[in-house]
Amino acid sequence: MSECEHQLAPKFFQAPSYIDGAIVTEIVQGHAHCTPNPRTHLQQRSLFSRSIIEDTNLSASYDFVITGGGLAGLVLASRLSENPSNTVLVLEAGESGDAAASQIDIPDGTYFSSMIGSSYDWQHVTVAQTNLSNRVVGWPRGKLLGGSSAINAMYLVRPSSLEMDAWGALSLSNTDDSSAVNRWNWANMYAAMKKSENFTPPAPSVQSVVNISYDASTHGSGGPMQVSYPAVMINIVANWTSALAGAGIPTLEAPNGGVTMGAFISPSSINPANWTRSYSRSAYIDSLPPRGNLHILPGATVTRLLFSDSSSSSSGLIVNSVEFMNSADNKLMTISVRREAILAGGSLGSPKILLHSGVGPKDVLDAAGVPVKLELPGVGQHLQDHLTAGVVWDTPLETAGDLYYSQSDFSKTPEFQSFINDAVAFVNNSALFGFTNDSATFQAAVQAALDDSASGLVPTQYPEVVQGYKAVYNLTAQFMDQTAQLELLLSLISPGTVSIQAALQHPFSRGRLYINTSNPLDPIIIDPQYYSHFADVVMMREGVKLARNVGVAFGTTLGAEITPGPDVQTDEQIEAWLRGSGASTQYHPASSCSMLPKELGGVVNANLQVHGTANVRIADSSIYPFEFAAHLGSVTYGVAEQAAVIIQSNAFTVPSSASHPKSSSVGQFVPIPWLATMPCILLLCLAGQSFI
């Protein structure tokens, strides 16, 4: 019998159940797999890195150049390279991630050995937030192949059908055909999201601890991304849906099928074959056979898109090459584009590239010293994020944090390391205000504040951006009772404590991001303008009250409240706590390159084309015109799957008259204004020295 056959032979293993906080061992029958240990899997990763190259292997030109090797970028790379006639290049600023494979692949690494703050994190920060006691808020984003899908908490929670259909309707303009807009309705996006998935139901041993409601038909089968549940559950989770029911929030029997509101245990991006994280690289790239038409270059920071001097008046500006800096030797290089440049840098990366390419609001570009190629006011506008705040109790029961820090043999097993927080609930405005008349009164107040909000809160001089804000504001204000306004999340990762977080889902505050220098290596300026609209702090205040009610329904499972504590009770006290230290980000930035008509400050049309360009598209979380009541990973997989179909069907071809000059080939320096503004030390770096 071969080693693999031996491993596949039926065997018994111990699977823990959690009863009243104590570990009870039961014997269940199962099957081991050829790679039961994640670390064995990690040792084999180099065998699958066939498409990851060094700059010496670059071709001079590619049909498609994708800027960003994160969640969406790698999905697109995989799908577009399925056609052997397409040549595809991915330029990723971060590293491959191979050196940190154990941190990436082990699910609970997202809590206990986080990569936030490391070289695999962009380490973005906001400007000081006036309405958060002048706090600066960290916005971590993944800086490696897989992007934030390699470091996030792996929840798979979709938006509602109402939100998706509203997005499609909002995206319609006079220049779009109905078929393009219909791609973004629920029916088509539902199919695209399922296309990315391969769903595995929870194991019987898990179901015996926590009765998980699911409907396999709401998920995909045979897709690249593995979707399942942890190998073990902790007993506190079993109380989740019953506690929510006690607080008036029913169990959602079929999550992710178009209805959001209710309580459930979310599936996650987990591979049940070896209990590892399933993310865009492992799902869409590592599993591929060798493809000579796909190149992925880590350590390549895209600085600008370069436009042809000649462009067709009917099609718009034509990108003929992409400029990037290679971190291996700090050289500026250019790659010619034969068909399209696709931005997949996320809500922060994609607008930054556009701005440094001269595409964006003229006032921002002029102030930064970047020549205007295309005035497009919406770039960087409509910026939104989900804020969250947690109520914390002590508990007499054992948490995942207790088990992890015990450093027991069990805590080091792949089964335990697959446990992540999965208990969530979504509530609408009526549930948030306790099903009283206060809900209707609050909604009326929000609707009445539209004009004042639009004139005072939208940071722009362009009327079309203001009109876009009004359109989205009206939409989200109208469905406050029909869609979820707040998410509740159960967290068990700290020793001796349990947290229930209240996360705002449809913020009315709007911010922006922009540049203030012409140097693409300088940080982008991020200003979400948290709590600039009164509705956001009111909804989170009521969310804290609701979380407390759920805590009461848990009974003796929870002990004394630690945070914000028994001294914080009145509305004024809760709001002061939220502004002072309680509220922070849920890490879901969106909408900075919104899919809206140009007359509403939009950046891309329903075909994902940047308005005013012939061959630039954006496919990432920056295109959502409003925040969804969801986690953004699942819907972004759907966007990337949709984008691949759109691009395959009608990709632009750069005419020979607009091709990049042969003199500017791979690896050559190109004259650009921002080099003259760089410090001497950086100029030395560009000459081939290492960064200090």
Side-chain angles (χ1 to χ4, degrees):
M1 179 182 291
S2 70
E3 179 63 22
C4 182
E5 290 170 333
H6 173 74
Q7 291 184 32
L8 284 175
K11 61 175 66 176
F12 288 90
F13 63 91
Q14 292 183 328
S17 296
Y18 294 83
I19 308 297
D20 295 328
I23 302 178
V24 178
T25 300
E26 62 178 355
I27 304 298
V28 298
Q29 188 170 11
H31 291 79
H33 300 273
C34 282
T35 55
N37 189 320
R39 292 165 183 79
T40 304
H41 166 74
L42 304 181
Q43 294 167 1
Q44 303 301 319
R45 173 169 284 178
S46 60
L47 297 176
F48 300 101
S49 301
R50 300 182 180 96
S51 295
I52 300 175
I53 63 166
E54 297 180 355
D55 67 319
T56 53
N57 303 120
L58 282 170
S59 301
S61 64
Y62 293 83
D63 294 320
F64 301 101
V65 178
I66 300 170
T67 67
L71 188 159
L74 295 186
V75 174
L76 277 164
S78 179
R79 293 305 191 192
L80 291 176
S81 63
E82 287 176 347
N83 183 342
S85 65
N86 292 334
T87 56
V88 180
L89 171 67
V90 178
L91 297 171
E92 165 56 38
E95 300 173 39
S96 69
D98 287 343
S102 60
Q103 289 174 276
I104 297 167
D105 282 28
I106 297 173
D108 75 1
T110 195
Y111 308 129
F112 302 122
S113 57
S114 173
M115 300 171 75
I116 292 175
S118 73
S119 62
Y120 298 103
D121 171 15
W122 280 97
Q123 301 184 45
H124 296 293
V125 294
T126 69
V127 300
Q129 294 297 287
T130 303
N131 297 300
L132 288 183
S133 303
N134 288 317
R135 283 191 279 141
V136 171
V137 180
W139 274 26
R141 309 306 296 162
K143 189 179 181 183
L144 71 168
L145 289 179
S148 294
S149 76
I151 69 170
N152 67 9
M154 305 166 58
Y155 290 84
L156 193 133
V157 181
R158 297 198 187 113
S160 68
S161 58
L162 180 61
E163 290 172 285
M164 299 301 298
D165 287 337
W167 171 24
L170 196 62
S171 303
L172 181 63
S173 74
N174 294 331
T175 58
D176 286 323
D177 60 77
S178 59
S179 63
V181 173
N182 285 338
R183 292 191 182 99
W184 310 109
N185 64 19
W186 168 253
N188 287 304
M189 277 297 292
Y190 188 34
M193 289 185 282
K194 291 201 290 186
K195 181 180 179 180
S196 71
E197 298 175 358
N198 185 54
F199 177 74
T200 302
S205 58
V206 170
Q207 279 285 56
S208 70
V209 180
V210 179
N211 184 23
I212 298 174
S213 297
Y214 68 92
D215 180 349
S217 70
T218 66
H219 292 285
S221 176
M225 182 182 61
Q226 302 299 318
V227 176
S228 191
Y229 300 84
V232 298
M233 278 287 174
I234 292 177
N235 182 252
I236 297 173
V237 180
N239 299 331
W240 177 248
T241 52
S242 59
L244 267 293
I249 301 167
T251 300
L252 181 58
E253 298 297 337
N256 293 309
V259 176
T260 303
M261 288 183 287
F264 57 99
I265 308 302
S266 166
S268 300
S269 303
I270 288 178
N271 185 347
N274 51 18
W275 306 118
T276 58
R277 173 190 297 268
S278 184
Y279 66 114
S280 63
R281 176 182 167 178
S282 63
Y284 280 84
I285 299 299
D286 289 348
S287 59
L288 294 179
R291 284 184 183 171
N293 62 331
L294 172 60
H295 284 172
I296 300 172
L297 181 65
T301 302
V302 174
T303 51
R304 297 188 305 169
L305 306 177
L306 302 178
F307 295 97
S308 167
D309 292 333
S310 61
S311 64
S312 166
S313 59
S314 62
S315 58
L317 290 178
I318 298 172
V319 166
N320 59 19
S321 57
V322 174
E323 173 191 280
F324 67 95
M325 178 177 286
N326 192 343
S327 64
D329 48 20
N330 305 312
K331 287 196 305 184
L332 278 174
M333 308 173 74
T334 59
I335 290 291
S336 293
V337 177
R338 292 197 292 265
R339 303 201 73 183
E340 298 199 357
I342 305 165
L343 301 184
S347 293
L348 307 184
S350 290
K352 182 179 182 182
I353 292 171
L354 284 180
L355 291 168
H356 281 292
S357 304
V359 178
K362 186 176 185 302
D363 59 331
V364 170
L365 298 177
D366 286 346
V370 175
V372 178
K373 289 287 188 180
L374 174 64
E375 188 173 10
L376 193 58
V379 176
Q381 292 287 344
H382 295 300
L383 183 64
Q384 298 161 62
D385 185 32
H386 287 158
L387 276 177
T388 188
V391 180
V392 182
W393 295 265
D394 65 24
T395 179
L397 305 185
E398 202 165 33
T399 69
D402 290 313
L403 287 165
Y404 175 81
Y405 289 107
S406 74
Q407 290 299 288
S408 65
D409 290 343
F410 173 66
S411 73
K412 300 173 185 178
T413 63
E415 287 78 14
F416 172 75
Q417 291 174 338
S418 74
F419 178 81
I420 56 177
N421 295 326
D422 281 312
V424 299
F426 289 84
V427 299
N428 64 2
N429 198 42
S430 294
L432 196 57
F433 285 87
F435 299 96
T436 67
N437 192 50
D438 290 346
S439 170
T441 302
F442 175 69
Q443 183 172 5
V446 171
Q447 291 173 320
L450 169 61
D451 289 335
D452 288 344
S453 299
S455 62
L457 298 183
V458 184
T460 183
Q461 66 178 21
Y462 292 94
E464 55 266 52
V465 175
V466 175
Q467 290 305 309
Y469 173 76
K470 287 184 175 182
V472 175
Y473 188 112
N474 269 324
L475 177 70
T476 52
Q478 288 168 8
F479 60 40
M480 294 181 77
D481 271 342
Q482 298 158 310
T483 63
Q485 302 304 309
L486 195 95
E487 180 184 16
L488 296 173
L489 306 92
L490 179 67
S491 175
L492 303 174
I493 61 174
S494 297
T497 64
V498 172
S499 171
I500 299 177
Q501 299 173 27
L504 182 68
Q505 296 300 288
H506 290 136
F508 286 93
S509 302
R510 292 291 186 278
R512 65 165 180 156
L513 55 83
Y514 58 99
I515 58 174
N516 61 359
T517 80
S518 61
N519 182 354
L521 302 184
D522 285 344
I524 199 163
I525 311 302
I526 304 168
D527 185 8
Q529 295 197 146
Y530 287 133
Y531 285 161
S532 57
H533 194 287
F534 75 90
D536 294 353
V537 70
V538 170
M539 285 190 284
M540 287 194 69
R541 180 195 75 204
E542 297 304 308
V544 170
K545 296 178 185 178
L546 180 58
R548 281 173 159 169
N549 289 340
V550 175
V552 170
F554 264 94
T556 57
T557 299
L558 304 183
E561 182 182 309
I562 300 171
T563 305
D567 294 335
V568 178
Q569 293 296 328
T570 67
D571 287 354
E572 293 75 17
Q573 288 171 334
I574 296 172
E575 289 182 15
W577 171 71
L578 287 169
R579 296 180 188 277
S581 63
S584 190
T585 177
Q586 202 181 16
Y587 313 116
H588 295 164
S591 309
S592 54
C593 293
S594 292
M595 181 188 290
L596 287 169
K598 188 177 180 183
E599 57 268 26
L600 294 181
V603 177
V604 298
N605 64 18
N607 282 315
L608 302 174
Q609 293 169 304
V610 174
H611 293 300
T613 70
N615 65 334
V616 182
R617 299 192 207 242
I618 304 178
D620 56 35
S621 59
S622 70
I623 70 169
Y624 311 135
F626 56 86
E627 281 276 16
F628 298 120
H631 293 242
L632 300 184
S634 177
V635 67
T636 305
Y637 277 109
V639 165
E641 291 281 8
Q642 291 272 61
V645 174
I646 293 169
I647 294 167
Q648 291 274 34
S649 64
N650 64 0
F652 185 84
T653 298
V654 176
S656 57
S657 61
S659 296
H660 195 279
K662 292 182 179 178
S663 59
S664 296
S665 59
V666 173
Q668 290 194 340
F669 287 91
V670 290
I672 52 177
W674 60 269
L675 280 176
T677 69
M678 298 173 73
C680 292
I681 184 65
L682 186 51
L683 290 175
L684 288 173
C685 293
L686 292 174
Q689 304 300 314
S690 298
F691 283 107
I692 293 176

